[in-house]
Amino acid sequence: HGWPEVLPNGKGALFTIIKDHLVSDIAVVDFATDQIRVLVQGELSRYAESGHLIYVREDGGLMAAPFDQDKLEIGGTGVLLSYQLPEGTAADLTISKTGRLLYATRPRRTLELVWVDRDGTWTPVDPDNPIQSIRYAALSPDNTRLAVTKWIRPPSDSGQIWIKRLPHGPFSQLSFEGVVNMRPSWSPDGQSVVFISDRGGNRDVWMKRADGARDAELLLDAPVTIDEALYSPSGEWLVHRRGKEEGQRDILAIRVDVDAEATPLVTSSFDEVAPALSADGRWLAYVSDREGQANVYVRPFPAADTETQVSVNGGEQPVWARHRPELYYRNGAEEMVAVEVLPGTEFKTGPEQVLFSTIAYRSDFYHAAYDVSADGERFAMIRNSDSGSLDEELIVVENWFEELERLVPVNQIPSCLSLNRFLG
């Protein structure tokens, strides 16, 4: 539930019900009875003193319908008005008592999948067929395919898993069930994709062949939410992060079809997220906020008697190189950095090497939103097309109630004050 607005007569409040499927609902709650009534499908609503319910559709269309605030009900069919707002709950608008409309415009974020070289130069993954609305990306072990989460709409976790064959092959949907299908990783042999899905009700770990030849199989079911999962390079362990609430996110590992219970790896009263295993399976990197700031840490895997803090002034989203001794992460200054992993039995690194700014690219504290090619020379990242844009505007529409009267008459609601009398 979100975006509440109390009606002028104090009898109730409009609000949005954010549902786990493709469309959210505009609803009203009756303060006298606590009864909730769904009015229409939409993302954001406002009450206009002219006697209208104003709401925004998922596609940014601005709608109006007669609304009786005494009966808390709509008195007619919604009508599409002439203004377009940002899609979904990014919409922002307000209406004065005298009929002035004020709304904000924003450039739409395309979240395009791109390659970024170590010097920061970026190019689309497929220039002829841009891949957009992406939230996570994972390269197959042989670097011939990308598994991604293609975002649908709010809530932000909604989406499905898709496979892109590189460099210019098809972009095919892999998952179809459930609302949340996200954070893909690859099986060690590169034949299957591991991902988080809510198709069983709770978020659990599922796996499906990348060619779609078989149905998805449930890898790990837990009584609490699982939000990340990846196989160890040997295929023996399934490392995963459990918990969704602040201070309850912990990292564990289990041998699928062997262990009855998972082995705790990093558990505390703080948040431990974004687990990543080195290519040789010796080291586990992760992020913890124990110091009041997110930083990257590394410890031996699976048994750990030591721990090394890698980042100094903030660090998130660690990813290991496959064929070179490097660990990558985004530092507190929003830069991609690489640190050399020095040879030896103990984990030691060289100094940070800043590669490029990550301000223009999608970030995620809870899980790496990017991946690195096998040779460590380029990064599969998600570029925000409007990053740094100053094109946002506030639009004022004067005498807006006159248009409402013309397009959406309120005389179909007997108890409502007529618009002419209101304006007179």
Side-chain angles (χ1 to χ4, degrees), residues 10-33:
K11 291 186 175 182
L14 299 168
F15 66 99
T16 302
I17 300 176
I18 306 168
K19 302 194 295 185
D20 284 341
H21 54 72
L22 296 183
V23 180
S24 293
D25 288 333
I26 302 301
V28 62
V29 57
D30 188 329
F31 290 160
T33 65

Side-chain angles (χ1 to χ4, degrees), residues 26 133 147 183 242 255 274 313 334 377:
I26 302 301
S133 300
R183 295 172 179 165
R242 298 187 183 185
R255 290 173 293 183
N313 295 312
E334 296 190 75
E377 291 299 323

Side-chain angles (χ1 to χ4, degrees), residues 335-354:
E335 298 166 322
M336 183 66 72
V337 300
V339 292
E340 180 185 5
V341 179
L342 304 178
T345 57
E346 297 182 2
F347 184 81
K348 294 182 180 180
T349 64
E352 283 190 349
Q353 177 189 0
V354 176

Side-chain angles (χ1 to χ4, degrees), residues 194 205 219-220 229-231 236-240 252-254 256:
V194 177
V205 185
L219 278 186
L220 183 59
L230 68 153
Y231 266 116
E236 180 182 6
W237 293 91
L238 185 68
V239 177
H240 57 285
L252 303 91
I254 192 170
V256 179

Side-chain angles (χ1 to χ4, degrees), residues 136-141 145-149 160-163 174-175 180-199 203-212 214-221 226-241 252 254 256 275 277 322 367-368 371:
Y136 300 101
L139 277 161
S140 62
R145 290 159 295 171
L146 269 165
V148 302
T149 300
Q160 298 291 343
I161 305 299
W162 290 62
I163 303 294
L174 183 68
S175 70
V180 175
N181 295 273
M182 64 176 184
R183 295 172 179 165
S185 63
W186 289 84
S187 60
D189 62 6
Q191 297 301 307
S192 300
V193 177
V194 177
F195 57 99
I196 304 300
S197 179
D198 68 349
R199 64 189 62 198
R203 295 187 190 179
D204 297 310
V205 185
W206 292 74
M207 183 170 69
K208 187 173 183 178
R209 282 184 57 95
D211 59 10
R214 300 175 186 170
D215 292 337
E217 61 176 298
L218 179 63
L219 278 186
L220 183 59
D221 186 4
I226 302 178
D227 258 357
E228 300 177 89
L230 68 153
Y231 266 116
S232 64
S234 66
E236 180 182 6
W237 293 91
L238 185 68
V239 177
H240 57 285
R241 190 253 295 172
L252 303 91
I254 192 170
V256 179
L277 285 168
R322 290 185 175 91
H367 183 82
D371 205 353

